[in-house]
Amino acid sequence: MKKILFLLASILTSNAMMAQEVGTRIFLRDANGLDIRSKSASIENASYLFHPDYLKASLYTRAGKLKSDAKYKLILQENRLFYMEADGSDMEVVSPIYRIEFEMPNGTTTVFEKGFDVVDNLNQNNFYQVLVDGKAKLLLDTKFATETKMVYGTGAVTTTDKLINYYGAFGTKIIKVSKEENILSLMEDKVAEMTAFIKKEKTKFKRQADLEKLFNYYNQLVK
């Protein structure tokens, strides 16, 4: 009886694993030997891409860096990561990737990360662009609003607006950055120094360059 139950359990487990793998293939393996899987998929709205071209990139799981010669695209609206097969077809990475380091055409590197606490309507699967890395991270979230209108003499015209918001992160804690109080609540160990810096620099919290300078200053203080 025990043998029959064991055999039945084994069959059920095997079937469950096969069900999870239907339509997927092993793409890479991480440092712990965990399978990184992908599936055939299509990129439906190119307007939502971080960059229109496939780019070389380094991928990271929590176990470490993944080695691959593939090129990737990231759909910011849906937080979906794609790569291109040798035959030119699109494949979506379906296993957890928490960090992407894109090699840009101009020689720079653009980093995206996820795994931060829920904030606004963004969950832990949301990829943020890392503008400043360090003990305190300055993050950029980019989404899109698409609208189609009927225009006399032209017909249907579709426009896409880019929606940008800045966030500060300390570990997994994350807060939207829109005013001085947000910054001070995140950098509470250096309130006096940050207050003085904001006043001296006349920081504008909707200006990316000002925010980058602010976060870099804080990270220098806490080295």
Side-chain angles (χ1 to χ4, degrees):
M1 185 65 178
K2 289 182 178 179
K3 289 183 178 179
I4 294 174
L5 290 174
F6 176 77
L7 180 61
L8 181 59
S10 298
I11 293 172
L12 290 173
T13 301
S14 176
N15 287 342
M17 291 177 66
M18 289 177 64
Q20 291 176 357
E21 296 176 0
V22 170
T24 70
R25 49 161 284 190
I26 297 174
F27 169 47
L28 295 169
R29 283 191 172 89
D30 70 9
N32 291 332
L34 180 68
D35 292 343
I36 306 300
R37 293 191 166 272
S38 63
K39 67 178 182 181
S40 179
S42 59
I43 298 175
E44 297 173 355
N45 196 327
S47 300
Y48 298 158
L49 288 166
F50 156 61
H51 192 279
D53 300 325
Y54 274 102
L55 301 173
K56 284 279 292 179
S58 297
L59 307 186
Y60 292 80
T61 66
R62 294 297 178 182
K65 184 176 180 179
L66 299 171
K67 295 181 179 179
S68 169
D69 293 325
K71 293 184 177 181
Y72 302 88
K73 286 184 178 181
L74 177 64
I75 301 182
L76 294 171
Q77 191 82 343
E78 302 162 354
N79 300 294
R80 297 170 67 190
L81 180 64
F82 288 78
Y83 70 94
M84 186 169 59
E85 281 276 63
D87 63 3
S89 60
D90 297 321
M91 297 290 289
E92 182 179 0
V93 181
V94 295
S95 297
I97 300 296
Y98 94 97
R99 183 178 172 98
I100 311 166
E101 296 179 354
F102 284 105
E103 298 177 17
M104 304 304 294
N106 64 0
T108 63
T109 300
T110 299
V111 179
F112 286 86
E113 272 193 21
K114 66 180 180 180
F116 302 97
D117 295 342
V118 175
V119 62
D120 297 337
N121 62 338
L122 306 173
N123 61 30
Q124 292 185 332
N125 290 319
N126 188 67
F127 272 112
Y128 299 87
Q129 184 177 341
V130 182
L131 301 177
V132 175
D133 214 342
K135 188 172 183 180
K137 297 177 186 285
L138 175 61
L139 307 173
L140 171 66
D141 176 66
T142 303
K143 295 293 182 288
F144 304 86
T146 299
E147 184 178 18
T148 301
K149 292 182 178 180
M150 296 301 297
V151 178
Y152 179 76
T154 303
V157 175
T158 300
T159 59
T160 300
D161 294 324
K162 187 179 289 188
L163 309 176
I164 289 175
N165 287 293
Y166 297 100
Y167 293 84
F170 203 106
T172 61
K173 176 184 176 182
I174 186 170
I175 189 168
K176 189 173 183 177
V177 174
S178 59
K179 52 188 177 181
E180 183 174 344
E181 289 85 346
N182 304 145
I183 293 292
L184 299 182
S185 67
L186 186 71
M187 305 174 179
E188 55 188 2
D189 57 331
K190 298 292 181 183
V191 169
E193 293 92 332
M194 298 313 298
T195 300
F197 184 85
I198 291 168
K199 183 177 181 180
K200 176 187 174 185
E201 298 293 325
K202 298 179 180 178
T203 302
K204 290 181 172 57
F205 294 93
K206 292 185 178 180
R207 184 180 294 173
Q208 182 173 317
D210 285 14
L211 290 173
E212 289 179 359
K213 187 183 294 185
L214 188 67
F215 275 73
N216 281 322
Y217 177 70
Y218 172 82
N219 286 327
Q220 290 173 7
L221 293 177
V222 295
K223 277 185 177 179

